[in-house]
Amino acid sequence: MVVTLLGTGTSSGVPLIGCDCAVCRSADFRDKRLRTSAHIAIDGRSFVIDTGPDFRQQVLRLNLHQLDAVLFTHEHKDHTAGLDEIRAYNFRSGRDMPVYGRPTVLAQLQREFAYIFAEHRYPGIPRIQLHEIQNQPFEVLGIPIIPIEVMHHRLPVYGYRIGDFTYLTDLNAIAEPELDKVYGTRILILDALQRQPHISHFNLDQAVALAERIGAERTYFTHISHKLGMHQDVEKELPPSIRLGYDGMQIHL
């Protein structure tokens, strides 16, 4: 399995529009963060977790010619807004794109992208197969996946475990039965928004505490705001097994 972090930024991205803080002015490529998303390549299959507003830019940068499925964590715009771009893969493959999400996510997609699901469809629009998932294991093209329900303030969000890899973004709470699904993972991707407490995301201290509790071989933080600080400075504060993710990072399992 190869995991590529397509984006590691919060909903506004980094740099933030109109901001001249040190992070937003940084020349370090690791401080340039598109909206959070990941690509998974496993056993000849290729799929993404979330299609945010930067999806087109992300897959062009990765030079991604094959995409077999899309998994959504939740319905917020910074995770869904790029769905229209999957039509390029429809054109390449000649097939509908399987899209997986909880019922609330699929309902939101049908509202926001109503033209995709219209009775009389405009030529060339995305072709999508919706697959409703619940909080129980399922398969995507033969790949076993375990959903992990977390809370993003009051909004339920799905993280995903695929073998020894677990992806948890947009959360500030996780129940013990769901946490049990994460233990034993080798590589963990975890939300860490900023230093200050936040209503719907882990801050840095909370993320470090949870990462140390889970005890993965390696944890990478994502969904990072400019308020967290410069990449090179924050990494110096972290335990050896915990690093900051960055856009384009590839993790081999």
Side-chain angles (χ1 to χ4, degrees), residues 48-64:
V48 291
I49 302 176
D50 292 334
T51 60
D54 306 310
F55 181 65
R56 180 179 183 275
Q57 181 180 351
Q58 291 165 338
V59 295
L60 285 172
R61 181 173 60 188
L62 186 59
N63 196 28
L64 185 64

Side-chain angles (χ1 to χ4, degrees), residues 82-152:
L83 181 62
D84 185 85
E85 303 294 349
I86 64 95
R87 59 198 168 106
Y89 295 104
N90 296 143
F91 302 156
R92 288 184 62 87
S93 69
R95 299 189 299 271
D96 293 357
M97 180 68 68
V99 170
Y100 296 79
R102 59 190 304 133
T104 54
V105 175
L106 301 187
Q108 182 83 343
L109 295 179
Q110 290 176 84
R111 287 193 298 271
E112 292 194 4
F113 298 93
Y115 63 93
I116 295 178
F117 306 97
E119 181 179 355
H120 302 290
R121 306 193 322 152
Y122 187 83
I125 64 175
R127 292 163 42 196
I128 289 174
Q129 293 177 345
L130 296 180
H131 296 268
E132 182 179 306
I133 58 175
Q134 304 291 337
N135 192 8
Q136 56 191 15
F138 63 100
E139 289 191 356
V140 173
L141 305 172
I143 307 298
I145 297 179
I146 300 172
I148 301 162
E149 187 174 83
V150 300
M151 294 305 297
H152 185 34

Side-chain angles (χ1 to χ4, degrees), residues 25 27 33 44 52 56-57 63 71-72 75 79 91 99 107 119 139 158 174 180 188 209 212 215-216 241 252:
R25 290 186 289 105
R33 301 184 183 278
R56 180 179 183 275
Q57 181 180 351
N63 196 28
L71 279 69
F72 282 111
E75 57 265 43
H79 295 260
F91 302 156
V99 170
E119 181 179 355
E139 289 191 356
Y158 277 160
I174 179 169
D180 287 342
L188 172 66
E212 291 185 325
S241 63
H252 295 255

Side-chain angles (χ1 to χ4, degrees), residues 129-187:
Q129 293 177 345
L130 296 180
H131 296 268
E132 182 179 306
I133 58 175
Q134 304 291 337
N135 192 8
Q136 56 191 15
F138 63 100
E139 289 191 356
V140 173
L141 305 172
I143 307 298
I145 297 179
I146 300 172
I148 301 162
E149 187 174 83
V150 300
M151 294 305 297
H152 185 34
H153 187 40
R154 296 177 180 174
L155 178 70
V157 169
Y158 277 160
Y160 297 106
R161 179 165 182 172
I162 306 162
D164 289 331
F165 169 74
T166 300
Y167 187 87
L168 300 177
T169 186
D170 288 61
L171 73 154
N172 68 321
I174 179 169
E176 289 297 327
E178 299 302 308
L179 192 57
D180 287 342
K181 302 176 184 178
V182 184
Y183 289 124
T185 196
R186 285 180 52 213
I187 301 296

Side-chain angles (χ1 to χ4, degrees), residues 7-9 36 167-169 189-193 220-224 245:
T8 56
T36 299
Y167 187 87
L168 300 177
T169 186
I189 308 298
L190 183 62
D191 180 8
L193 182 72
Y220 298 98
F221 290 154
T222 193
H223 214 292
I224 294 167

